[in-house]
Amino acid sequence: MECNGIRGCLWVMFPLRASGFILLLCLCLGWLPAARAAQQGDVLILFDQSQSMTAYNAKAVAEHLLFTLINTFGLSNPILLAGFDERVIEHLHLQVGEQRERSALRQLIEQIPLRGKVTDFEPALRYLADYPRPIALAVMVSDGKEDIWDRKLRYLNPEILADDRYAELNAEYARLKASGLSDFRLHDQLNPAYEARNRELIQQALARLAQQGGERLTFVDLGEAASLLPQLAEQAQASSLSIATLDQASAQLPGAALAPEQAQLSEQIKAQMQENIRQALLRLQQRASEILQQSLPEDHASRVDLLEEAVPDMEPLPEPEPEPKPEPPPEPEPEPEPEPEPEPEPSPAPEPVKPPPLVLEPAPAPEPLRLIDLLQRNLLGLPSAQFWPLALLLLLSLALAQRIQRRRVWERKQPSFSLLDEPLYLDSVRQQMGLLATSSLESAKHYIEREIRVAAASGDKLKLKLLELEKFKYRFDRRIELRVPVLPGQMDIFYLDANSQPGSQPASQQASSAPVLDISLQALRFDQPGFNGGQMQQIRLNPSNEVFLLQRCRIRKRDEGQFVVLLDEFSDEISSRMRWVELLTRIEQNQNSQQP
């Protein structure tokens, strides 16, 4: 056995029988690595999945960080990969000791879409503050640019419109929208108030994060100097790590001044960006080792996962061609000496000039005469400026005459008697249906009844289609409409608790109930402290025992112990929806009649 340091000296100096005492002494003094326990809790990696990311790919940086932590520490803690834009979406869960292929995990991460139109930090920070399990390490990757209302796209975060914490602003938004104010005027007038309210909610989430241990949170900033992440990190008592942006990386390179009209990156800039990401991952390795209380392996630098997807895949700029060197001017040539002029010879007598031969060319063939030219020149005798308007007017007149003729033929085929005159109408049915209606008067009546049933069925289909066409209006107004309070004990909602096991007891005993506080056209709010989720079954009125069976709904948490159920679909959608509207109207009328 090798002796190193104090442990080896003690082992050699003392006899073998004292080895137990020495081992206990080393454990107490902390000289053995087993005396240090790893930090318990989940590892959260949140990345910005909006469309505003430009220089660096936040999803790719989060992917490299995920595999770097796995390569360095293994799955010693559960890991959660989530994205945020308008809300937080959980994408990947990895448990301790779970075995998955790297290629399958990379393919799963590559399929995550980046389609968020705006970026809101408040849901992500609230998600971290309200996380139900202990957090060992949390990393948030973004460019630090927050925009909850995009003026160019005329898009306001729908989660804000459905949030009761913005109730006053949402009511003002609905009033101005109904008054006909344009989207740009709405943005200019209400966006400062929405941003101020959003900053207040962010401050509350940051205060809770600071109390719960903000030192376990690290912000990875992919943006410029004007990023919001350093301020958030300071208020949450967390750490911040900044990666140089494309402009800063290009400014650090010698001779890398690019023209603004060129849209390609040189190989030097791509190499610098890769080095920036590698240095950031190394610093995150060190930070994770400190927080997770796990020592780094000696080859931790080689365990950094780095691919080329973290930077834009662009071709390098073409190198400018060298300018050709100017050629020296040619030397002047010496002037030739003048030659002696020859003596003039006597010119011969001129010969008589012959005339050129006469060649006859064939005459060009005449162009074929078109029918339109014949009509224009010979029949009408009108110039082109007057012929075409007259031809167009003639065609319109023919089309109108044909339309009138068809209308008259259709009117002659219609019966000239009243539909209330049953015998004449039955005779017309016999004439139209032939043998089917001439058998008896009873068969003709059956035909009429069948046609009525078909028309009623068509009417139901049109009614359902009309409800579907009007549904998009309710999607916007469902959470900002006026709510009607329900008196205590008049309405209950029944649900199956998520913690109950199916089959352990009868279905009537498994269902739990909660009192309904108020209702609207598309939602209701109930009070149930300690509610952990479950399957909503039905809504029951007391004491009439009228029941509304729920087919599909969604649950949203609002205040402490209060929840909102979005009524997406009833079991019998058309009749139940009409009864729900009638119930809402009846309760509102009773309340108005009781007011003085």
Side-chain angles (χ1 to χ4, degrees), residues 69-278:
L69 294 178
I70 295 177
N71 297 339
T72 307
F73 307 107
L75 282 175
S76 58
N77 298 74
I79 299 180
L80 169 63
L81 181 66
F84 68 93
D85 43 25
E86 304 166 5
R87 58 189 181 277
V88 178
I89 303 176
E90 298 179 354
H91 297 296
L92 182 62
H93 293 265
L94 294 177
Q95 300 299 330
V96 176
E98 185 175 356
Q99 299 292 336
R100 287 199 190 183
E101 295 184 0
R102 299 295 180 92
S103 59
L105 289 178
R106 292 190 188 276
Q107 185 178 4
L108 182 62
I109 296 175
E110 289 176 359
Q111 294 175 356
I112 298 176
L114 302 178
R115 55 190 179 188
K117 296 182 179 179
V118 295
T119 304
D120 190 358
F121 290 138
E122 193 273 333
L125 297 174
R126 177 161 44 90
Y127 177 83
L128 294 175
D130 297 339
Y131 194 71
R133 293 183 297 274
I135 299 177
L137 173 65
V139 180
M140 187 172 176
V141 184
S142 177
D143 59 353
K145 297 179 181 179
E146 184 186 30
D147 188 9
I148 60 175
W149 193 345
D150 195 312
R151 188 178 189 273
K152 184 178 180 180
L153 298 178
R154 296 178 293 181
Y155 184 83
L156 176 59
N157 186 359
E159 297 293 329
I160 290 180
L161 293 175
D163 198 336
D164 292 339
R165 298 174 298 176
Y166 297 84
E168 297 181 0
L169 292 175
N170 292 337
E172 182 68 13
Y173 176 88
R175 185 186 67 81
L176 295 178
K177 187 73 173 179
S179 65
L181 199 65
S182 64
D183 294 337
F184 297 108
R185 296 284 299 277
L186 273 173
H187 175 275
D188 298 340
Q189 187 168 346
L190 294 180
N191 185 52
Y194 271 106
E195 289 184 349
R197 179 54 179 163
N198 183 262
R199 293 295 174 86
E200 294 178 2
L201 298 176
I202 289 178
Q203 297 295 332
Q204 298 175 8
L206 292 174
R208 287 187 292 163
L209 283 174
Q211 294 178 358
Q212 297 172 5
E215 66 276 358
R216 296 189 297 269
L217 174 61
T218 301
F219 292 91
V220 179
D221 190 0
L222 306 181
E224 301 175 355
S227 174
L228 189 62
L229 295 184
Q231 304 177 11
L232 302 181
E234 181 180 358
Q235 297 175 7
Q237 298 179 5
S239 59
S240 176
L241 175 61
S242 177
I243 300 180
T245 59
L246 176 61
D247 295 336
Q248 296 171 351
S250 60
Q252 294 173 3
L253 296 176
L258 304 179
E261 67 271 10
Q262 294 176 337
Q264 298 177 340
L265 292 175
S266 66
E267 292 296 336
Q268 294 179 340
I269 297 179
K270 292 181 64 177
Q272 180 67 30
M273 296 175 70
Q274 289 283 355
E275 182 62 22
N276 291 341
I277 297 175
R278 180 178 175 276

Side-chain angles (χ1 to χ4, degrees), residues 466-477:
L466 181 61
L467 290 175
E468 291 293 335
L469 292 176
E470 293 293 331
K471 193 173 182 179
F472 74 96
K473 295 175 59 179
Y474 299 140
R475 290 177 180 175
F476 179 78
D477 298 335

